Amino acid sequence: MRKYLIAGNWKMNLTVQEGKQFLIDIKDQINSFHNVEILVCPPYTHLDSLSRLAQGSNICIGSQDVSTESNGAYTGEISTDMLSELNCKYCIIGHSERRQYHQESDQLINKKLTKLLATNISPILCVGESLADRESDQTFDVIKRQLTNAFNSINKDTVNIQNLVIAYEPVWAIGTGKVATPFQGQEVHSFIRNLLKETLSDELADHIQILYGGSVNPANIEDLIKQEDIDGALIGGSSLKSDTFLSIIKSSSQVYELSKS
Ligand code: PGA
């Protein structure tokens, strides 16, 4: 059974001091949750101190983005080497806020994915349809296009492809309080898993974790994560307070234990 991944995407929130306090608050309380991998993706400025603080615990630290380039005159950018040096284990790419506010194209996201797969950092590739896409019955077409373009020149033999994580985040559910129903989530997740089978292999499709993101909170996580193809969550708002984040981790861990028995 795939291990669950519960990931917090802090976006542009919390100061370094607040971030450190958050980690201190959860660190000693999560040691019993071995069946859930816990990830926090703070702003770049927090990575160094939070990575140090997380050492020896089962909290991983990840980045919210990365450059397509290795080094050079790219003002404001951060490279994979810089992230590796700070022990980043994961990196989010293709988040809908990057696509929307920074005009990130599928082609650019493909470059970031390629770059990350050449390292030991696991990419968390985000895909998701807008409300207009869903209302015009375009959901599956949009997901297929985003994934196919992101996978351009990437195949089952690509080095480190087994590190890939996908996050399905319907844009209409992000930060809106309108969560996808477990049925809507499962439907798209199983569609994605089938696409992974076609594009990569049965084995990889079975191994790759597919997270759900969009208004996840302690009240809805249980029903979402019970779905066969939902292997965790990418959480914005509810990852900013240690007690709500902990409560999501705890529920996920309980569901995992129950589904194994
Ligand atoms: P949300 O954000 O949980 O606040 O909806 C999720 C995300 O953008 O990853």
Side-chain angles (χ1 to χ4, degrees):
M1 190 173 159
R2 289 175 294 272
K3 197 171 175 178
Y4 289 161
L5 173 60
I6 300 295
N9 173 12
W10 286 358
K11 309 188 181 183
M12 199 172 71
N13 291 297
L14 305 184
T15 61
V16 174
Q17 217 41 51
E18 288 164 341
K20 282 164 100 174
Q21 191 56 50
F22 180 107
L23 244 61
I24 292 166
D25 291 344
I26 67 166
K27 223 173 138 178
D28 297 331
Q29 298 190 57
I30 54 170
N31 290 332
S32 55
F33 304 127
H34 294 298
N35 47 17
V36 179
E37 179 141 26
I38 299 157
L39 168 67
V40 170
C41 299
Y44 288 130
T45 46
H46 302 38
L47 291 175
D48 186 27
S49 43
L50 295 200
S51 283
R52 287 171 203 265
L53 204 55
Q55 258 172 34
S57 75
N58 57 341
I59 306 170
C60 303
I61 301 297
S63 158
Q64 298 175 17
D65 193 26
V66 69
S67 172
T68 56
E69 306 303 321
S70 300
N71 60 276
Y74 301 101
T75 303
E77 295 288 274
I78 302 285
S79 73
T80 48
D81 280 355
M82 295 170 185
L83 296 180
S84 294
E85 198 180 20
L86 299 179
N87 294 320
C88 276
K89 190 157 177 226
Y90 291 89
C91 177
I92 300 170
I93 49 169
H95 191 280
S96 65
E97 286 150 17
R98 302 284 323 167
R99 292 179 192 257
Q100 187 182 349
Y101 305 133
H102 300 272
Q103 289 74 45
E104 290 201 3
S105 64
D106 288 346
Q107 287 66 32
L108 184 95
I109 294 159
N110 167 254
K111 279 194 182 174
K112 292 187 178 185
L113 181 58
T114 308
K115 196 89 198 155
L116 284 167
L117 288 174
T119 72
N120 287 322
I121 306 170
S122 300
I124 302 182
L125 169 64
C126 300
V127 294
E129 82 286 4
S130 67
L131 185 61
D133 296 331
R134 181 159 278 268
E135 286 178 345
S136 57
D137 255 344
Q138 301 290 303
T139 299
F140 297 112
D141 293 339
V142 169
I143 304 292
K144 188 171 183 174
R145 193 198 64 226
Q146 290 176 342
L147 279 177
T148 311
N149 290 340
F151 286 162
N152 188 22
S153 302
I154 291 169
N155 60 42
K156 65 174 176 32
D157 300 319
T158 301
V159 181
N160 293 335
I161 185 72
Q162 76 286 350
N163 288 347
L164 176 65
V165 176
I166 310 275
Y168 167 56
E169 298 207 302
V171 181
W172 49 270
I174 295 179
T176 59
K178 273 194 233 158
V179 65
T181 63
F183 176 81
Q184 287 173 323
Q186 170 57 26
E187 200 181 25
V188 178
H189 280 235
S190 92
F191 176 78
I192 293 173
R193 196 156 326 268
N194 281 329
L195 261 178
L196 294 176
K197 274 188 192 159
E198 284 166 27
T199 325
L200 303 174
S201 69
D202 285 4
E203 211 185 345
L204 280 164
D206 200 40
H207 165 84
I208 290 172
Q209 292 159 310
I210 308 176
L211 315 183
Y212 168 79
S215 296
V216 171
N217 62 37
N220 58 34
I221 183 68
E222 199 176 314
D223 287 339
L224 287 164
I225 209 150
K226 274 183 183 158
Q227 303 301 310
E228 192 183 339
D229 290 297
I230 300 187
D231 308 314
L234 183 55
I235 306 157
S238 295
S239 74
L240 296 175
K241 289 218 171 88
S242 55
D243 53 347
T244 42
F245 193 55
L246 265 175
S247 156
I248 292 172
I249 294 166
K250 201 169 166 188
S251 299
S252 308
S253 174
Q254 283 164 354
V255 171
Y256 189 94
E257 280 312 309
L258 282 175
S259 54
K260 265 202 328 192
S261 57

